[in-house]
Amino acid sequence: MKKCVTTLGDYFFYGFAVLSVLAIMASVATPARGLLLDEFSRLLDHKGKVRSLAEFDKKLEYAGISRADFVPEIRIVKRSREMRVFSNSKLVATYPIGLGRATIGTKQNATDQKTPEGMYYVCDKDENNRYHLFLQINYPSGIDAERALVQDIIKNSEYETLVGAWQNKITPPANTGLGGPLGIHGFGAESSWTTDGSISMHNVHVEELFWNVEKGTPVAILP
C-alpha cells in the first residue's frame, strides 16, 4: 500500500509540474515560449542522450557513414589537446580535451598526474559519475605493466592480472602502484582544467561520445 501511495504521489507531482509549465508557456510571448519548450525538453533528456544521438547522426551523415556501419575508434593527441573519433579511417568528430596536470611524458606510476600514452579500450561506462559521465579505459596496458614490473613498481602477480585485463579489454584493478581508474569524463576542457591523469571534455561533448560508443571501443593516446 505504501509503495502504491508513493507511486501515485510521484504521478501527481510530475503531472502538476507539466501543467505548471504548460500554464506558464500559455502566458508568455511566442519567442519565449519556444525557449521554455527547449529548456523543458532538455530537462527531460537524461544527460543529453536524445540530443547526442541526433547530433551524432548528423556527423555520421556528413562523413558518409551509416549508423549500422559505424565502427568507432578514438584517438587522443596530447600535444594538440584534441580527441578525434574515426570509423574505418574516416574522421567523424573532433573535440577539445583537458589532460593530466603533468603534460609531458606517459604515466608511470599512481601519483605522477600524467595522462598515459598507448593503446587502450573502453572497459566500462558510468552515467552516474561525479564528473557527469565517465568512460573508463583499461589502463594500464601490457606495456605499462611490463615497464612497472622492471622498475619494481608492481609485483609479478599484479603484472599478470593487469596484462590479462588489458588483453581481455576488461576493467583492471586500481590498487596497484600504477593507479587508476582512468578514463574520459566531463566538466571541462579549457587549458586551465587539469586532471590526475584522465581526459576531460565539455559536458556536451562527453555526452555525444558516451551515448555513441560502446565498451570495447579502442582508444589510442598519442604524445
Side-chain angles (χ1 to χ4, degrees):
M1 180 65 182
K2 184 177 180 180
K3 183 176 181 180
C4 180
V5 171
T6 302
T7 302
L8 289 173
D10 290 341
Y11 282 135
F12 177 80
F13 172 79
Y14 288 117
F16 179 77
V18 171
L19 289 174
S20 298
V21 171
L22 291 174
I24 293 171
M25 288 192 296
S27 65
V28 298
T30 301
R33 192 179 306 158
L35 292 174
L36 281 172
L37 279 170
D38 289 343
E39 181 65 13
F40 189 56
S41 298
R42 186 188 66 78
L43 290 173
L44 293 177
D45 185 11
H46 176 63
K47 295 200 173 180
K49 183 175 183 179
V50 174
R51 179 202 60 80
S52 296
L53 290 170
E55 286 298 317
F56 209 79
D57 277 340
K58 294 177 185 177
K59 289 180 170 65
L60 289 172
E61 183 179 3
Y62 185 80
I65 302 168
S66 69
R67 172 68 69 171
D69 292 331
F70 178 50
V71 182
E73 306 165 35
I74 299 170
R75 298 181 198 172
I76 292 163
V77 184
K78 291 171 64 175
R79 68 166 61 92
S80 59
R81 297 174 68 95
E82 186 176 71
M83 175 187 292
R84 301 165 188 166
V85 180
F86 290 85
S87 179
N88 294 320
S89 300
K90 287 186 177 181
L91 181 63
V92 178
T94 303
Y95 305 107
I97 57 169
L99 298 169
R101 291 175 181 83
T103 57
I104 305 300
T106 189
K107 189 170 187 64
Q108 299 196 40
N109 60 63
T111 60
D112 62 15
Q113 298 187 327
K114 294 181 179 181
T115 298
E117 297 169 6
M119 176 58 71
Y120 307 94
Y121 300 89
V122 175
C123 62
D124 195 19
K125 295 174 67 179
D126 179 9
E127 61 186 80
N128 298 307
N129 191 267
R130 62 175 176 163
Y131 294 114
H132 191 54
L133 294 167
F134 184 62
L135 299 95
Q136 185 177 347
I137 61 172
N138 65 337
Y139 164 86
S141 68
I143 293 174
D144 297 324
E146 184 174 354
R147 181 176 56 243
L149 181 64
V150 171
Q151 296 174 347
D152 290 327
I153 295 173
I154 60 173
K155 303 173 183 177
N156 276 298
S157 58
E158 293 174 322
Y159 167 79
E160 293 174 2
T161 300
L162 292 173
V163 170
W166 181 74
Q167 290 175 338
N168 291 298
K169 305 177 185 179
I170 60 175
T171 304
N175 59 349
T176 74
L178 283 171
L182 296 179
I184 303 164
H185 60 68
F187 274 20
E190 291 82 1
S191 58
S192 59
W193 176 264
T194 56
T195 73
D196 288 335
S198 286
I199 296 99
S200 62
M201 304 176 71
H202 296 302
N203 284 355
V204 69
H205 293 157
V206 79
E207 287 172 359
E208 282 193 18
L209 189 72
F210 188 92
W211 298 117
N212 286 285
V213 305
E214 301 299 332
K215 289 193 291 185
T217 297
V219 181
I221 306 178
L222 309 175

